[in-house]
């Protein structure tokens, strides 16, 4: 569909509202959750760029992604009560070292940026239509 100026302005307004998007992320096996808030693209891009190849580096990247998106984890009181020196270390404590839940939380955060999600049928059809026009 060809967009008009009005369509693009409308999308801009929606984009402004999208800045405040939040998603719940599960932190334990009982289903308790905290909220993650969408940040700007530069924040998530910086974290992705810092990814490494080792399991330790990937775990650190996951913890940083969660920490940056969950303001509740920034509490000094929380850090003191869990006895951690580095702020990002609180993530592992809150998730009770459950790496599967941490990975799931990181994946859910990434969906706020359109990453790591399956394309809808409409998106697939649009891609197919564009490819057909190209050929």
């Amino acid at each position: 569909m060809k967009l008009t100026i009005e369509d693009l302005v409308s999308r801009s307004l929606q984009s402004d509202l999208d800045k405040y998007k939040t998603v719940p992320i599960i932190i334990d096996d009982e289903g308790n959750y905290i909220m993650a808030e969408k940040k700007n693209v530069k924040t998530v891009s910086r974290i992705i760029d810092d990814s490494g190849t080792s399991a330790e580096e990937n775990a650190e990247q996951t913890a940083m992604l969660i920490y940056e998106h969950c303001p509740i984890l920034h509490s000094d009181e929380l850090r003191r009560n869990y006895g951690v020196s580095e702020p990002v270390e609180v993530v592992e404590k809150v998730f009770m070292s459950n790496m599967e839940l941490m990975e799931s939380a990181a994946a859910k955060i990434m969906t706020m940026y359109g990453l790591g999600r399956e394309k809808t049928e409409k998106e697939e059809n649009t891609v197919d239509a564009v490819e057909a026009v190209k050929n």
Side-chain angles (χ1 to χ4, degrees):
M1 173 166 99
K2 183 177 178 182
L3 298 177
T4 65
I5 294 293
E6 291 81 18
D7 294 330
L8 293 175
V9 169
S10 177
R11 290 179 98 174
S12 171
L13 296 173
Q14 180 58 43
S15 179
D16 286 343
L17 294 174
D18 198 38
K19 290 177 189 174
Y20 305 105
K21 185 175 183 174
T22 61
V23 295
I25 56 173
I26 306 295
I27 63 166
D28 60 27
D29 292 330
E30 286 79 43
N32 294 306
Y33 65 92
I34 59 176
M35 298 304 291
E37 297 177 356
K38 187 173 184 180
K39 302 292 180 184
N40 62 42
V41 173
K42 285 184 181 181
T43 299
V44 76
S45 297
R46 177 183 45 82
I47 295 167
I48 291 171
D49 284 346
D50 289 343
S51 66
T53 55
S54 73
E56 180 181 359
E57 290 170 328
N58 286 334
E60 289 172 2
Q61 175 197 25
T62 298
M64 181 57 74
L65 184 69
I66 295 167
Y67 180 79
E68 287 291 334
H69 287 82
C70 299
I72 196 169
L73 299 177
H74 297 197
S75 162
D76 288 336
E77 179 183 356
L78 194 60
R79 199 168 77 220
R80 278 192 306 277
N81 281 304
Y82 277 110
V84 296
S85 57
E86 293 297 319
V88 74
E89 292 173 346
V90 78
V91 173
E92 182 181 344
K93 300 292 186 178
V94 168
F95 280 80
M96 296 184 264
S97 300
N98 186 325
M99 291 182 68
E100 181 180 7
L101 285 174
M102 290 171 64
E103 288 292 330
S104 177
K108 188 143 188 193
I109 289 168
M110 296 301 283
T111 65
M112 289 192 287
Y113 301 93
L115 300 172
R117 65 176 177 83
E118 302 225 358
K119 290 182 181 174
T120 65
E121 187 176 331
K122 184 178 180 181
E123 290 171 325
E124 283 293 336
N125 291 339
T126 301
V127 170
D128 291 343
V130 169
E131 289 298 318
V133 169
K134 285 183 183 177
N135 297 326

